[in-house]
């Protein structure tokens, strides 16, 4: 825990401290002086997830510090604590502690998603921690389905799970299907207690949060901001849950992602199916194997549910929502390693990492994690270098919340503006996130009085006679006003970013 949190937190102070769009939204909510107003803003559409994360960070921030770097460090500590808990639980099930430590930390270090999600003022680290607790208690209930303390713990963790992230519902549904399968396979009626616990979690969510959830989903209409997956992008998305030596190489050779996913699925079927055929009584008391079976099921089924929801309703297929599956994948790989270890050559089996060398490995790993996180950038800040050339007396319009919120929050350009124009945002063929950004920033303006977000009726010759636009070719907005003759381009300024141009504009008289 100290190794991971120390190296990652230290690297935060040697890189740009920019918050990206979603983090700015989180910080706005967490910094709200009123927790009641915070929860009202969450439901308004500023955030698409349940309120547990922002309320917890509101308490931590207002109790200790509202410094953004501190709040990011909280996420890192939660992530590191999750990995430490996962390591401890895994080592009680299978293998040698030192081998497990090296294996787990190597996979964690070479999975890029861990660095991008664990360092944000977002709910992902909390979601990962609660998911792990949920998986661990569910595993206990496989052997003791009627034990009161585990049932109570499962219900509490299940409630926390579905109140932390909407994908908690997918994991809850998947575990319900798993328990239903156990019930049918074992004929053990005690599993009805576990199914009843699932029902209680679902009932509480429906009664307490569903009305607010229904309001939040309006931000995703008429469509989601997430593109529909293609054959290759499906494997690229699930591939982000697994370790990789080079993400650039995988983008160039996409078959690597396909083969890796098929290998993981094939390993699970090869190892699990023969033993499952032996019958329930032969396997249920092997805790290492039952967690392996559970891990494989809860890894793949939420992926399939997300894919099904995407194809029939609205697109939600994105790797960061499936991050809990990363822990399940680590366990599958570790179990497979020990499964095949006896078949390895004797010299390989006899090789163990000396305790004396462990500090060296830990030091190298810390340096690697520091370096990797230091070079990881989420906000595309390259556009900032072009702002000083602009006349400061004129406002600068940007066309996406990705640019507006970070630049506005960090006060890089006092005159930064975003135009709320539903007609152009909803234009057929426009970038998918245009409508979502419109609704989010409309809520930001209404809930937090951000005057830099300009409604369409205020976009006129009187309010902004002369202005700049950072125009993105993927987003249709300023083009509409140029085409209908309302706005004239005075000149185009140089910018060396693909798909961008800086336009100096005036309203036509």
């Amino acid at each position: 825990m100290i190794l991971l949190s120390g190296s990652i937190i230290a690297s935060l102070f040697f890189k740009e401290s920019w918050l990206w769009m979603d983090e700015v939204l989180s910080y706005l909510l967490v910094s709200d002086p009123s927790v009641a107003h915070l929860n009202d803003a969450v439901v308004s559409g500023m955030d698409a997830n349940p309120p547990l994360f922002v309320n917890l960070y509101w308490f931590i921030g207002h109790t200790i510090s509202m410094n953004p770097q501190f709040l990011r460090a909280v996420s890192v500590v939660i992530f590191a604590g999750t990995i430490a808990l996962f390591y401890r639980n895994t080592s009680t099930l299978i293998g040698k502690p030192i081998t497990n430590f090296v294996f787990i930390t190597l996979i964690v270090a070479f999975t890029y998603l861990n660095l991008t999600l664990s360092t944000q003022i977002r709910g992902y680290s909390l979601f990962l921690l609660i998911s792990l607790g949920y998986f661990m208690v569910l595993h206990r209930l496989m052997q003791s389905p009627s034990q009161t303390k585990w049932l109570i713990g499962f219900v509490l963790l299940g409630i926390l799970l579905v109140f932390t992230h909407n994908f908690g519902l997918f994991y809850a549904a998947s575990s319900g299907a798993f328990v239903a399968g156990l019930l049918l396979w074992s004929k053990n009626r005690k599993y009805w207690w576990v199914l009843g616990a699932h029902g209680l979690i679902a009932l509480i969510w429906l009664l307490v949060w569903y009305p607010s959830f229904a309001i939040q989903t309006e931000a995703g209409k008429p469509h989601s901001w997430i593109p529909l997956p293609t054959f290759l992008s499906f494997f690229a998305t699930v591939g982000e849950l697994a370790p990789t030596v080079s993400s650039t190489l995988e983008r160039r050779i996409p078959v690597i992602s396909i083969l890796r996913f098929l290998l993981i699925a094939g390993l699970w079927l090869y190892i699990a199916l023969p033993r499952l055929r032996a019958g329930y009584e032969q396997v249920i008391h092997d805790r290492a194997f039952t967690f392996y079976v559970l891990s494989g099921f809860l890894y793949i089924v939420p992926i399939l549910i997300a894919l099904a929801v995407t194809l029939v309703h609205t697109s939600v297929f994105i790797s960061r929502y499936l991050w809990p599956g990363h822990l399940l994948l680590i366990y599958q790989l570790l179990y497979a390693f020990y499964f095949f270890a006896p078949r390895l050559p004797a010299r390989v089996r006899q090789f163990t990492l000396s305790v004396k060398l462990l500090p060296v490995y830990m030091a190298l790993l810390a340096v690697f994690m520091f370096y990797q996180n230091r070079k990881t950038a989420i906000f595309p800040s390259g556009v900032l270098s072009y702002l000083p050339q602009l006349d400061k007396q004129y406002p600068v319009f940007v066309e996406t919340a990705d640019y507006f919120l970070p630049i506005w929050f960090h006060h890089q350009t006092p005159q930064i503006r975003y135009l709320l124009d539903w007609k152009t945002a909803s234009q057929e063929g426009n970038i998918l996130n245009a409508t979502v950004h419109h609704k989010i920033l409309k809520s930001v303006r209404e809930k937090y009085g951000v005057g830099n977000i300009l409604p369409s009726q205020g976009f006129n010759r009187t309010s902004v006679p002369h202005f700049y636009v950072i125009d993105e070719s993927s987003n249709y907005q300023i083009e509409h006003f140029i085409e209908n003759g309302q706005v004239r381009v005075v000149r185009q300024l140089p910018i060396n970013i693909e798909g961008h141009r800086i336009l100096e504009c005036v309203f036509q008289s």
Side-chain angles (χ1 to χ4, degrees):
M1 179 176 176
I2 296 173
L3 171 71
L4 290 176
S5 58
S7 57
I8 297 175
I9 290 173
S11 67
L12 293 177
F13 296 95
F14 290 87
K15 60 187 292 188
E16 289 183 345
S17 59
W18 283 84
L19 304 186
W20 73 291
M21 183 191 90
D22 284 6
E23 286 187 288
V24 173
L25 293 172
S26 292
Y27 190 87
L28 272 177
L29 294 167
V30 171
S31 62
D32 195 316
S34 167
V35 71
H37 185 263
L38 173 158
N39 285 286
D40 178 61
V42 167
V43 177
S44 75
M46 275 185 61
D47 198 284
N49 283 299
L52 180 62
F53 155 71
V54 288
N55 280 275
L56 175 63
Y57 275 53
W58 183 91
F59 175 77
I60 293 172
H62 287 266
T63 302
I64 304 176
S65 172
M66 283 304 305
N67 184 292
Q69 292 291 68
F70 168 76
L71 294 175
R72 279 179 162 176
V74 171
S75 294
V76 173
V77 170
I78 292 174
F79 166 71
T82 303
I83 299 302
L85 178 61
F86 174 75
Y87 160 74
R88 183 178 181 276
N89 181 67
T90 298
S91 295
T92 63
L93 298 176
I94 192 171
K96 300 177 181 179
I98 292 181
T99 303
N100 292 349
F101 175 80
V102 173
F103 197 98
I104 291 171
T105 52
L106 273 177
I107 293 178
V108 168
F110 281 92
T111 304
Y112 179 74
L113 201 64
N114 290 329
L115 293 176
T116 59
L117 298 184
S118 67
T119 55
Q120 297 183 28
I121 309 174
R122 297 293 288 167
Y124 301 117
S125 289
L126 183 63
F127 184 43
L128 191 72
L129 174 61
I130 294 172
S131 297
L132 175 60
Y134 183 82
F135 301 152
M136 289 169 58
V137 174
L138 178 61
H139 183 226
R140 290 284 186 174
L141 287 171
M142 290 177 67
Q143 282 86 33
S144 308
S146 61
Q147 194 160 343
T148 303
K149 67 176 182 178
W150 297 125
L151 286 169
I152 293 173
F154 182 76
V155 170
L156 292 176
L157 285 166
I159 292 170
L160 294 176
L161 184 72
V162 298
F163 276 82
T164 300
H165 197 282
N166 290 327
F167 260 53
L169 295 169
F170 292 178
Y171 284 98
S174 301
S175 66
F178 183 83
V179 173
L182 270 181
L183 174 64
L184 295 173
W185 186 40
S186 67
K187 312 298 183 186
N188 185 349
R189 295 182 178 179
K190 291 182 179 179
Y191 284 113
W192 279 109
W193 286 102
V194 188
L195 285 177
H198 280 85
L200 182 57
I201 294 167
L203 180 63
I204 291 172
W205 182 85
L206 283 169
L207 293 176
V208 176
W209 188 247
Y210 177 75
S212 299
F213 171 78
I215 296 172
Q216 284 183 322
T217 57
E218 291 298 315
K221 297 177 181 178
H223 49 70
S224 169
W225 62 271
I226 303 171
L228 288 170
T230 63
F231 177 79
L232 291 178
S233 71
F234 168 84
F235 291 103
T237 297
V238 297
E240 291 177 9
L241 300 173
T244 180
V245 176
S246 172
S247 57
T248 303
L249 181 64
E250 290 196 12
R251 285 192 294 270
R252 292 176 180 172
I253 312 175
V255 71
I256 295 175
S257 297
I258 299 173
L259 293 176
R260 182 176 53 202
F261 180 79
L262 294 178
L263 175 64
I264 292 166
L267 280 174
W268 188 82
L269 293 172
Y270 178 81
I271 295 172
L273 288 185
R275 286 206 61 189
L276 291 175
R277 291 195 188 102
Y280 171 80
E281 293 296 338
Q282 299 299 315
V283 301
I284 194 60
H285 299 295
D286 184 342
R287 296 186 64 238
F289 177 72
T290 51
F291 195 67
Y292 179 71
V293 174
L294 178 65
S295 295
F297 191 91
L298 293 186
Y299 167 73
I300 192 62
V301 174
I303 290 175
L304 297 178
I305 293 175
L307 183 62
V309 171
T310 292
L311 296 178
V312 304
H313 186 257
T314 188
S315 183
V316 295
F317 198 73
I318 189 169
S319 59
R320 60 178 180 256
Y321 297 168
L322 294 161
W323 196 26
H326 173 61
L327 297 178
L328 302 172
L329 178 61
I330 294 176
Y331 186 81
Q332 290 177 71
L333 294 174
L334 183 63
Y335 188 93
F337 169 78
Y338 283 115
F339 179 84
F340 289 106
R343 309 180 192 187
L344 297 174
R347 290 183 179 179
V348 177
R349 293 201 310 271
Q350 292 169 2
F351 175 79
T352 57
L353 183 66
S354 169
V355 175
K356 294 180 180 179
L357 292 177
L358 193 59
V360 177
Y361 166 78
M362 293 172 66
L364 292 174
L365 186 68
V367 171
F368 178 76
M369 295 287 285
F370 178 95
Y371 169 76
Q372 287 292 93
N373 189 55
R374 186 177 181 275
K375 72 175 186 178
T376 301
I378 301 176
F379 172 66
S381 59
V383 71
L384 299 177
S385 62
Y386 296 93
L387 298 181
Q389 66 177 311
L390 308 182
D391 192 326
K392 291 181 173 53
Q393 66 176 315
Y394 302 135
V396 180
F397 282 86
V398 291
E399 297 185 324
T400 64
D402 295 307
Y403 277 147
F404 173 77
L405 283 172
I407 296 173
W408 165 77
F409 179 79
H410 291 282
H411 308 293
Q412 287 294 312
T413 302
Q415 292 267 50
I416 196 73
R417 297 286 189 275
Y418 179 89
L419 174 61
L420 285 174
D421 185 72
W422 180 252
K423 183 177 181 180
T424 55
S426 58
Q427 176 79 20
E428 185 177 355
N430 202 358
I431 191 171
L432 291 176
N433 62 21
T435 54
V436 177
H437 285 189
H438 175 96
K439 292 184 177 182
I440 288 174
L441 291 180
K442 184 173 182 289
S443 295
V444 171
R445 175 181 168 84
E446 292 172 352
K447 297 299 179 180
Y448 290 97
V450 179
N452 297 54
I453 302 171
L454 191 68
S456 56
Q457 57 268 29
F459 188 59
N460 52 53
R461 181 177 175 82
T462 303
S463 299
V464 282
H466 198 141
F467 57 93
Y468 296 102
V469 178
I470 299 176
D471 179 41
E472 299 176 59
S473 59
S474 59
N475 198 319
Y476 179 80
Q477 188 178 75
I478 191 61
E479 293 86 350
H480 168 76
F481 299 96
I482 295 172
E483 290 165 3
N484 67 18
Q486 290 179 262
V487 168
R488 178 172 60 88
V489 177
V490 176
R491 60 173 176 151
Q492 181 173 328
L493 286 79
I495 181 171
N496 191 27
I497 300 177
E498 186 177 355
H500 289 61
R501 56 180 184 164
I502 300 178
L503 305 178
E504 183 177 350
C505 302
V506 295
F507 263 93
Q508 299 278 44
S509 52

